[in-house]
Amino acid sequence: MLLAKVRLTCLSLTFACVGVTVAGAPGPALRMYSYGPSGDLMVAQPIFRMCVAPEGNAQITDAVMEVNGNPVASTYSQQSGRLEFRPSTPLPPGPVDVTAKIVIDRKSMFQKSWTAMVRTDAAREYLEPSAAALESLSVVNELRRATGLDPVITDRCLSHVAQLHSQYLNQNKRTGHAQEENGTGFFGRTLRDRLNKFGWNEAASEAVVHNLASPRESVEAAFAAPYHRLPFLAPGPIEAGAGMSGESMSLIFGHSSKPGVVLSPSVDQKQVPASWFNSERPNPLRFFESAGSIVGYPIVIAEFGHKEALKVVEAKLTTGSESIDIFVVDGSKDESLKATAFVIPARPLRKGTEYNVLVRTARASGATELRTWSFTTK
């Protein structure tokens, strides 16, 4: 693998909607996270979805949908907070009026309506994930399994959008997350635009990899880069999709609301790469003038579900009695990291060697935590 040719563009994070508290009338409040899709639809069998959760001790006792004024066979999951409906047959071109009705504690009802427009050129249904996409997601699951995480759930909508974007990049010889309207295969300037047109209205993250020929190389290159690794590490089951065209790959991950602390490499993990060629954008080592382009494999500490910023007050990487020079990146250097920190060895690690990690973190509230663990390079 010619590492010098790898190009990782910045991790693109897109959110459908910030949390909004919507008051019941009368009764307890309801938190609505997202709803949709709305606007132009490029698929005739999308999933119409609203994500909600009651506040306090309230319970959602009924949740239904209507499409064009008619009740439909929608489903609601208390666990995920999703009320959703997918038509059994393709919808005809034209407007689709959707209404979601949520009943809280059998007495308070919240109602939300929106409109989507099925385009005349809409696909009848989502593409089946390609062999390369399925291989990519299999590698994603290998990496998650080594970290002690559940496998991702292959999502056809995310795979469809990922495939079309990778085709756009390959056909136009471009890189990154943005599309230009004059490009062949254009279907949305931003990731949010593209997802909404195919029916995904929740939070999602995209990693784009260029100049690697195989799905395995592409996925492993994305995972090695610390910013791009973060969506791989979300606890709990998450949806994901992949697409590959030529040497362009798009990986799109849904988000999980499940909290948890994830260490990567994980406790006692074996066969960890010893080195990393840094071609990531943004560059995690941009804060350090002495940092080279070939360093040790990055260590990631990610606390999902925490809102309070995380600061590393002490970090050590050792093998035997030898102390390894490291670079530490946390929220004090990059505000976007929040409850995440990177510990990056200044030089490649030795192969077949056990390393010990010590990281002490603190929060603004004064709470501190010490974590120690080991991993072994391959």
Side-chain angles (χ1 to χ4, degrees), residues 24-306:
L30 180 76
R31 183 169 291 272
M32 180 176 65
Y33 295 96
S34 62
Y35 63 89
S38 59
D40 282 358
L41 275 177
M42 296 181 67
V43 65
Q45 278 184 277
I47 295 177
F48 294 101
R49 178 182 292 155
M50 186 165 75
C51 298
V52 293
E55 298 205 299
N57 295 322
Q59 289 188 343
I60 292 177
T61 51
D62 196 15
V64 297
M65 270 188 178
E66 295 178 358
V67 173
N68 293 331
N70 299 311
V72 294
S74 56
T75 59
Y76 175 72
S77 166
Q78 292 278 2
Q79 183 176 2
S80 67
R82 288 173 168 172
L83 170 63
E84 57 188 28
F85 164 70
R86 187 185 183 202
S88 59
T89 58
L91 296 170
V96 183
D97 296 318
V98 183
T99 298
K101 297 178 179 180
I102 308 293
V103 178
I104 305 172
D105 293 335
R106 302 185 186 279
K107 58 184 179 181
S108 301
M109 188 175 78
F110 168 73
Q111 179 172 309
K112 178 66 181 178
S113 299
W114 67 93
T115 300
M117 179 69 69
V118 179
R119 292 174 26 161
T120 56
D121 60 348
R124 287 179 56 84
E125 57 184 355
Y126 298 119
L127 295 169
E128 289 288 344
S130 67
L134 294 176
E135 181 182 349
S136 301
L137 295 175
S138 176
V139 178
V140 168
N141 284 332
E142 285 181 26
L143 296 168
R144 283 178 60 86
R145 201 159 39 243
T147 314
L149 297 170
D150 295 329
V152 299
I153 301 165
T154 300
D155 186 87
R156 289 181 63 187
C157 174
L158 297 182
S159 289
H160 188 114
V161 174
Q163 182 61 39
L164 292 187
H165 185 54
S166 62
Q167 289 173 192
Y168 168 90
L169 296 175
N170 186 50
Q171 290 169 349
N172 295 282
K173 307 305 178 188
R174 292 178 176 169
T175 63
H177 306 283
Q179 292 189 4
E180 299 296 332
E181 292 186 23
N182 61 354
T184 302
F186 170 83
F187 68 105
R189 186 174 296 276
T190 67
L191 175 60
R192 176 73 271 147
D193 295 337
R194 298 190 291 272
L195 289 172
N196 197 60
K197 286 180 179 178
F198 281 97
W200 184 271
N201 60 297
E202 296 186 55
S205 304
E206 180 184 53
V208 173
V209 186
H210 308 279
N211 297 332
L212 287 174
S214 78
R216 177 170 291 277
E217 286 180 312
S218 297
V219 173
E220 289 179 346
F223 187 84
Y227 283 109
H228 283 68
R229 195 184 309 176
L230 293 176
F232 284 79
L233 302 180
I238 59 171
E239 291 96 343
M244 191 166 189
S245 179
E247 295 185 349
S248 295
M249 168 178 279
S250 167
L251 289 168
I252 304 178
F253 296 89
H255 282 211
S256 170
S257 59
K258 182 179 179 179
V261 178
V262 181
L263 307 175
S264 176
S266 60
V267 177
D268 296 329
Q269 185 173 338
K270 312 297 184 186
Q271 298 294 305
V272 175
S275 62
W276 176 55
F277 178 85
N278 177 20
S279 62
E280 186 173 30
R281 298 295 179 270
N283 176 9
L285 296 173
R286 62 192 181 278
F287 310 100
F288 311 99
E289 293 183 1
S290 63
S293 58
I294 301 178
V295 293
Y297 195 75
I299 299 163
V300 175
I301 303 97
E303 297 192 357
F304 294 88
H306 291 269

